[in-house]
Amino acid sequence: MTDAPRISRQFSQRSVMEAIVQGGPISRASIAKLTGLSKQTISEIVRDLEDGGWVRETGRTSGHVGRTAVTYELVVDAAFIVAVDLGGTKVRVAVTDLAGQIVIEDTAPTDLRGGRPLVTQIAGMALSAAEGAKVARDKLRLAVVGVPGAPDNRTGRVLLAPNIRDFDTMDVLEAFRQALGFDVVLENDVNLAALGESWQGQGQGIDNLAYVALGTGIGSGLILGGNLVRGAANAAGEMGFLPIGANPFDPESLRVGAYERAVATHGIIERYETTTGENISVPVIFERAAAGDAAAVAAIDETSRQVACGIAAICAIANPQLVILGGSIGLRPEILERARHFLPQCFPYPVDVVSGELGARAALVGATAVGLSQLHNTLFGVATPNAGLSLPPTGAESSQEAAE
Amino acid sequence: MTDAPRISRQFSQRSVMEAIVQGGPISRASIAKLTGLSKQTISEIVRDLEDGGWVRETGRTSGHVGRTAVTYELVVDAAFIVAVDLGGTKVRVAVTDLAGQIVIEDTAPTDLRGGRPLVTQIAGMALSAAEGAKVARDKLRLAVVGVPGAPDNRTGRVLLAPNIRDFDTMDVLEAFRQALGFDVVLENDVNLAALGESWQGQGQGIDNLAYVALGTGIGSGLILGGNLVRGAANAAGEMGFLPIGANPFDPESLRVGAYERAVATHGIIERYETTTGENISVPVIFERAAAGDAAAVAAIDETSRQVACGIAAICAIANPQLVILGGSIGLRPEILERARHFLPQCFPYPVDVVSGELGARAALVGATAVGLSQLHNTLFGVATPNAGLSLPPTGAESSQEAAE
DNA sequence: GATATTTAGTTCGGTGACAGAACGAACTAA
DNA sequence: TTAGTTCGTTCTGTCACCGAACTAAATATC
């Protein structure tokens, strides 16, 4: 029932599918207009898709001149995707349908043993979540796992992931595939967050953007020319080692990263400690700053200056149109305001800087985006080049079809 | 005679053409094996291409078992491309054939009036060069012009080009089109240099690389995931404003660019002047350093440290596999050596750093690459996605076809 | 209420890009 | 001379897709 339709119709089938996915309930005649294919061909392809269980009749149009049209829509529960955001402390797992809607979601503390136990934990969460939502196991087609590191899809290992034990030495990809029983894609978590904001968040319709996740560490995801940039070792955006903030030639900078020392959690705490002698957590520093503590305000000011410098560095190199701040610290309005204030003082061209609107769920949304687009590729053929992400619209559901 | 073949064969025709371009003299049977298309189809397509004048018989294979094969090769003079490298002081113009070989080249001092006079100068150089090489005017199909700024292909203007007068206010693209009488593409000169090195220079076969041009100013071109990265305003790689080297919040940095102040010509001269009180040119500083002048050596050392920091910044953000140094200062071995020495002290992961091997002609080679690939797109249909640059091989010509 | 107009969708008869089998042509090896 | 191999064509078939003609079903107009 849910077999991939035949291959030779690759392109047309894909574009028909896209029209149905994005056009909500839509008639075959409208699909023909949208895609430029003939009515006859559309009827054939839609029949194939309907036979395959991917698409179904929804009703008829009415109220306009001419014959009423039968409308079709996506069968959202024809297949499901597992989206995972694996963080150093928390694991989020979601099962989403073909419309990108989250069907069920689950969160748990990360199994700190890392390695296989962690893979088992996540696979267990995913499979039991699916069961709980009454999603048949053979409808799960693909999992996308966001990891805090640089996955190498050749070896299946995850490098630069100091927070997850053993992931740099084992074949994580294969372990997930075996534990889950279907295909798995690994991707850097910040990259996924960037894709998430680009799909359903602040970055909609923007081809060049940077997502900066600032928290315990600092990382960024770059979408340039509409494509996610990964770099040679999947380490693009690992900006902790920017030679900014601290002296980059200090051996400590070489270990932790000069920029990470300056802006991430540890840097803020240290900054407050050097002026006051008190070692307190970041949320408390923000509280005290709000209450008027001068040292706390100074620490936040200086951090924001450094954040502005980091954004300047990204802009100087990658020239995004928009920079989205995320992560536990990056999402704080105090940081956003000040970074916006300092940026024009160290970078001459205007750049939009905003907070991510998806918050901590950005990576999960991004994982869904990757999953959907990959699934469409394997099921319905490749998209025409530079068509961007062809995913369901994010807004209101099922608007009555506007004829033309 | 030189009409584009029919459109419906887009994909197959393009891949046959690629096989012929890259496979040197090649038989139809071999093309069939390479492309996976049937012998019958290949014969048809090759006949079309031969009728169009794009391809011709070269001879027959011999010496192996079985029937001899007729071999075909590209008609290199079926069309020509004009490649232009427009610098602040010099203009280079080349006419290249379909194999990417430079047929004729011309250099002249840039018309400092900029604007229309400059366009006229370049068009004149191109057209008379073509005439000199006996290239019929209707065989010129496309010009690619590298400019020191950020071309906006919508408005045809060139922004961020302080060295070329009036290019930021006039429709440069249209002016070139009218002066030349055929299609024109504008591209940033450093981007072209990056593409040049990527095609025929140090970057062959590398999907993620950065080209850093260091001279009077500093700029870089990024090729990430096999694609040239342009950014939102075509200003990706304009790294002069990196907040490194000088204090980025100094108003002077906001004007010139903190990093540009630190590493480009002016910075080196100033560095030498502050220690010795002498204001001398960069080449002289390099001479004195070679002769053992401690202040000169120190100036170069410090500059190289900053170059290493800049490379670190690029690597932290874009994660290229290779960094190629170019430009009058970047090409000096003294800088390369020292940058290689300092880089591991401020960036923990290994990155290859090399000098560009095409020297000052990198941009011209890149312009040819862009022109060829664009021309192939318009003439023979689009390439299959992620096939990379499908350009003639750079090595020895016409090796006898090795059967399989 | 009959007729014109408009739109949806099907049937039918192409066309063009391929594939694949069969076969002749042309060569080498023995 | 014969066997084996490779090249290239011819012939037949398949498949995606188009366009025109036609049917079906609605609204607009008189």
Side-chain angles (χ1 to χ4, degrees):
Chain A
M1 171 205 165
T2 43
D3 274 340
R6 31 186 168 151
I7 275 197
S8 25
R9 266 214 263 252
Q10 291 256 27
F11 280 81
S12 309
Q13 194 158 61
R14 172 65 179 254
S15 40
V16 169
M17 202 61 197
E18 273 170 28
I20 296 175
V21 167
Q22 305 207 8
I26 187 173
S27 72
R28 279 167 291 179
S30 307
I31 300 175
K33 274 178 210 148
L34 272 176
T35 59
L37 298 165
S38 72
K39 288 190 290 176
Q40 202 276 343
T41 304
I42 300 300
S43 284
E44 267 181 46
I45 293 177
V46 169
R47 186 160 33 248
D48 280 7
L49 289 171
E50 204 178 355
D51 288 352
W54 300 106
V55 141
R56 77 170 144 241
E57 281 191 29
T58 11
R60 310 186 73 94
T61 56
S62 65
H64 56 76
V65 234
R67 179 175 174 178
T68 54
V70 178
T71 54
Y72 291 84
E73 69 174 8
L74 186 67
V75 175
V76 292
D77 54 358
F80 293 85
I81 288 166
V82 172
V84 179
D85 180 7
L86 167 49
T89 55
K90 250 199 266 183
V91 187
R92 281 165 202 273
V93 174
V95 175
T96 70
D97 61 25
L98 280 182
Q101 297 294 320
I102 292 180
V103 173
I104 190 167
E105 195 175 342
D106 190 14
T107 309
T110 307
D111 188 322
L112 296 174
R113 288 171 296 171
R116 277 179 194 282
L118 181 51
V119 170
T120 309
Q121 180 198 22
I122 293 169
M125 286 171 72
L127 294 177
S128 63
E131 203 172 329
K134 302 222 189 306
V135 169
R137 189 143 164 182
D138 65 316
K139 288 204 169 176
L140 297 174
R141 290 303 193 98
L142 180 65
V144 179
V145 181
V147 292
D152 178 341
N153 276 302
R154 277 182 310 105
T155 63
R157 293 190 285 189
V158 179
L159 306 176
L160 310 179
N163 296 324
I164 311 288
R165 287 181 59 183
D166 293 342
F167 266 32
D168 54 342
T169 53
M170 64 181 274
D171 189 338
V172 180
L173 192 61
E174 192 51 35
F176 269 115
R177 282 195 181 132
Q178 282 180 8
L180 288 167
F182 44 87
D183 202 16
V184 176
V185 173
L186 297 180
E187 183 57 85
N188 173 269
D189 56 351
V190 185
N191 284 352
L192 288 184
L195 286 170
E197 289 285 350
S198 159
W199 177 32
Q200 295 199 332
Q202 295 277 12
Q204 291 174 51
I206 295 176
D207 264 2
N208 291 277
L209 65 83
Y211 179 93
V212 177
L214 177 56
T216 321
I218 183 158
S220 66
L222 299 173
I223 293 176
L224 298 174
N227 295 312
L228 180 66
V229 165
R230 278 175 240 264
N234 235 323
E238 295 288 341
M239 54 194 283
F241 286 96
L242 271 182
I244 300 179
N247 173 13
F249 290 95
D250 179 331
E252 184 64 11
S253 295
L254 199 61
R255 214 175 51 78
V256 188
Y259 190 57
E260 183 146 332
R261 283 176 73 190
V263 290
T265 304
H266 193 72
I268 302 180
I269 293 174
E270 201 174 81
R271 207 163 273 142
Y272 188 79
E273 195 179 358
T274 45
T275 41
T276 65
E278 255 185 300
N279 185 310
I280 57 176
S281 77
V282 170
V284 178
I285 294 177
F286 274 95
E287 262 172 44
R288 293 202 184 167
D293 177 343
V297 170
I300 292 173
D301 271 351
E302 180 53 22
T303 303
S304 304
R305 267 172 70 104
Q306 298 298 345
V307 169
C309 284
I311 293 174
I314 291 179
C315 293
I317 288 173
N319 182 224
Q321 185 191 330
L322 173 70
V323 177
I324 302 172
L325 295 183
S328 58
I329 298 176
L331 282 170
R332 304 206 77 121
E334 298 95 321
I335 297 281
L336 175 68
E337 278 164 28
R338 287 174 171 82
R340 274 182 171 160
H341 171 251
F342 286 121
L343 184 58
Q345 293 176 28
C346 67
F347 191 74
Y349 308 111
V351 188
D352 283 339
V353 183
V354 299
S355 283
E357 67 183 52
L358 302 178
R361 295 174 69 214
L364 217 50
V365 173
T368 305
V370 170
L372 281 179
S373 122
Q374 165 105 1
L375 200 59
H376 274 73
N377 275 336
T378 57
L379 292 176
F380 309 113
V382 287
T384 54
N386 58 331
L389 275 181
S390 61
L391 294 166
T394 171
E397 294 282 298
S398 72
S399 53
Q400 185 72 315
E401 178 185 355
E404 177 55 335
Chain B
M1 171 207 166
T2 44
D3 276 338
R6 33 185 167 152
I7 275 198
S8 26
R9 265 212 265 251
Q10 291 257 27
F11 280 79
S12 309
Q13 194 157 60
R14 172 65 179 255
S15 40
V16 170
M17 201 63 196
E18 273 169 28
I20 296 176
V21 166
Q22 304 207 11
I26 187 173
S27 72
R28 279 168 290 179
S30 307
I31 301 175
K33 273 179 212 149
L34 272 175
T35 58
L37 298 164
S38 71
K39 288 190 291 178
Q40 202 275 347
T41 305
I42 301 300
S43 284
E44 268 180 45
I45 293 177
V46 168
R47 185 159 37 246
D48 280 6
L49 289 171
E50 202 176 359
D51 289 350
W54 300 105
V55 141
R56 80 173 141 240
E57 281 192 36
T58 11
R60 309 187 74 93
T61 56
S62 64
H64 57 75
V65 234
R67 181 175 171 177
T68 54
V70 179
T71 54
Y72 291 83
E73 69 174 8
L74 185 67
V75 175
V76 291
D77 54 358
F80 293 85
I81 288 166
V82 173
V84 178
D85 180 8
L86 167 48
T89 56
K90 251 198 265 186
V91 187
R92 282 164 203 274
V93 174
V95 176
T96 69
D97 62 24
L98 280 184
Q101 296 294 320
I102 293 180
V103 173
I104 190 167
E105 195 175 342
D106 190 13
T107 309
T110 306
D111 188 323
L112 295 175
R113 288 171 297 171
R116 274 178 198 284
L118 181 52
V119 171
T120 310
Q121 179 198 22
I122 292 170
M125 287 171 71
L127 294 177
S128 63
E131 204 172 327
K134 302 222 187 310
V135 170
R137 189 142 163 183
D138 66 317
K139 289 203 168 176
L140 296 175
R141 290 302 193 99
L142 180 65
V144 179
V145 181
V147 293
D152 177 342
N153 275 302
R154 277 182 311 104
T155 63
R157 293 191 286 189
V158 179
L159 305 176
L160 310 179
N163 297 323
I164 310 288
R165 288 182 55 184
D166 292 343
F167 266 33
D168 54 341
T169 53
M170 64 181 274
D171 188 338
V172 180
L173 193 60
E174 192 51 35
F176 269 115
R177 281 192 181 133
Q178 281 178 9
L180 287 168
F182 45 88
D183 201 18
V184 176
V185 172
L186 297 179
E187 183 57 84
N188 173 269
D189 56 351
V190 184
N191 283 352
L192 288 183
L195 286 169
E197 289 285 350
S198 160
W199 177 32
Q200 295 199 332
Q202 296 276 12
Q204 292 174 50
I206 295 176
D207 265 2
N208 291 277
L209 64 84
Y211 179 93
V212 176
L214 177 57
T216 320
I218 183 157
S220 66
L222 300 174
I223 294 176
L224 298 175
N227 295 312
L228 181 66
V229 165
R230 279 175 239 264
N234 235 323
E238 296 287 341
M239 54 192 284
F241 286 96
L242 271 181
I244 299 179
N247 173 12
F249 290 96
D250 180 332
E252 182 64 11
S253 295
L254 201 60
R255 215 175 50 77
V256 188
Y259 190 56
E260 182 147 331
R261 282 176 75 191
V263 290
T265 305
H266 194 72
I268 301 179
I269 293 175
E270 202 174 82
R271 207 162 272 143
Y272 189 78
E273 196 178 359
T274 44
T275 41
T276 65
E278 257 186 298
N279 185 312
I280 56 177
S281 76
V282 170
V284 179
I285 294 176
F286 274 95
E287 263 171 44
R288 292 201 185 169
D293 178 341
V297 169
I300 293 174
D301 270 351
E302 182 53 23
T303 303
S304 305
R305 267 171 69 104
Q306 298 297 344
V307 169
C309 284
I311 294 174
I314 291 179
C315 292
I317 288 173
N319 183 33
Q321 183 189 332
L322 173 70
V323 176
I324 302 173
L325 294 183
S328 58
I329 298 176
L331 282 169
R332 305 207 74 123
E334 299 94 322
I335 297 282
L336 175 68
E337 277 163 29
R338 287 173 172 81
R340 275 181 172 160
H341 171 251
F342 287 121
L343 185 57
Q345 293 175 28
C346 65
F347 192 74
Y349 308 111
V351 188
D352 283 340
V353 182
V354 298
S355 284
E357 68 183 51
L358 303 177
R361 295 175 67 212
L364 216 50
V365 173
T368 305
V370 170
L372 281 179
S373 122
Q374 164 107 0
L375 200 59
H376 273 74
N377 275 337
T378 58
L379 292 176
F380 309 113
V382 288
T384 52
N386 58 331
L389 275 181
S390 61
L391 294 166
T394 170
E397 296 282 298
S398 71
S399 53
Q400 186 72 316
E401 177 186 356
E404 175 56 335

